[in-house]
Amino acid sequence: MSAARLLAVEAVESHVRAFFEGHSVEVVVCDVGPERREVLPDLKVLVVGPGPRSDSWAYVTAGCWAAMEKDGHGFEFVMTAHVRDQRFIDLMAMITYYHCGGHQLGLEHSMPIGEPWVPGSTCDHLLISLPYLHGPELEHCPLPEGRARILWTLPVTAAEIEFRRHQGYEALEQLFDEAEIIPTDPFRASVV
């Protein structure tokens, strides 16, 4: 690991720890396998327990920016869930590999999960969004050689993704607001 990449991963971890002060933060080194390790040599997932900022669990990548930054700018991702589960750590590794392995994600993009977010859920895609549950204070992460944007990976349904394709991202966000979805509820009804 280069010194610059190591400093970037450490800076992301420090940023997340400072933002979630008073929460437990567990650092999980992801075993992504030998082929994927070439793409993501430094990937960690920071598992943040419930606490003063949120009663949910947060899963934040650290190492995505280091693998993909351009001119000092890049992304990390956060997912918010109702429980601590290895499934969500694995999903964050999958998102990062998808992004770094040739399908660059950005704001308003989506990706298929290939199965329900959790068994029995109709959410089988992820929508890349602003981290509304945490705000710009988490989103904007200064790094020694640039900055990372921490974007939210919101579990959504295939019907919601189809609606977004035809009606646009803003129209889908409006439906989420009108329905007052609970984004950590894996069994929430589709808004379309």
Side-chain angles (χ1 to χ4, degrees), residues 64-86:
C64 183
W65 180 94
M68 290 290 291
E69 64 91 10
K70 289 195 178 21
D71 301 321
H73 298 281
F75 300 117
E76 296 288 352
F77 299 99
V78 61
M79 175 180 285
T80 309
H82 58 298
V83 296
R84 189 211 185 282
D85 194 311
Q86 181 65 38

Side-chain angles (χ1 to χ4, degrees), residues 133 152 154 160 172-185 188-191:
L133 293 179
W152 189 20
L154 173 65
E160 290 164 344
L172 180 57
E173 290 264 313
Q174 176 134 9
L175 289 180
F176 288 152
D177 288 345
E178 289 169 2
E180 298 179 350
I181 68 165
I182 298 171
T184 58
D185 178 3
R188 72 168 179 83
S190 181
V191 297

Side-chain angles (χ1 to χ4, degrees), residues 91-169:
L91 192 53
M92 295 310 288
M94 183 178 92
I95 293 160
T96 308
Y97 182 73
Y98 185 87
H99 173 69
C100 296
H103 303 280
Q104 290 186 24
L105 295 168
L107 193 58
E108 302 180 15
H109 290 177
S110 62
M111 70 167 269
I113 299 173
E115 61 186 16
W117 182 41
V118 300
S121 174
T122 58
C123 296
D124 58 2
H125 284 70
L126 296 171
L127 180 65
I128 308 303
S129 178
L130 296 175
Y132 293 116
L133 293 179
H134 307 298
E137 198 178 326
L138 177 66
E139 177 188 353
H140 300 289
C141 176
L143 302 174
E145 296 188 22
R147 74 176 181 89
R149 276 184 90 186
I150 299 176
L151 298 177
W152 189 20
T153 56
L154 173 65
V156 296
T157 67
E160 290 164 344
I161 292 299
E162 192 61 26
F163 177 86
R164 186 216 51 192
R165 282 190 187 112
H166 296 288
Q167 303 298 320
Y169 176 81

Side-chain angles (χ1 to χ4, degrees), residues 45-62:
V45 174
L46 309 173
V47 180
V48 181
R53 277 201 181 265
S54 171
D55 62 358
S56 299
W57 289 80
Y59 299 82
V60 187
T61 63

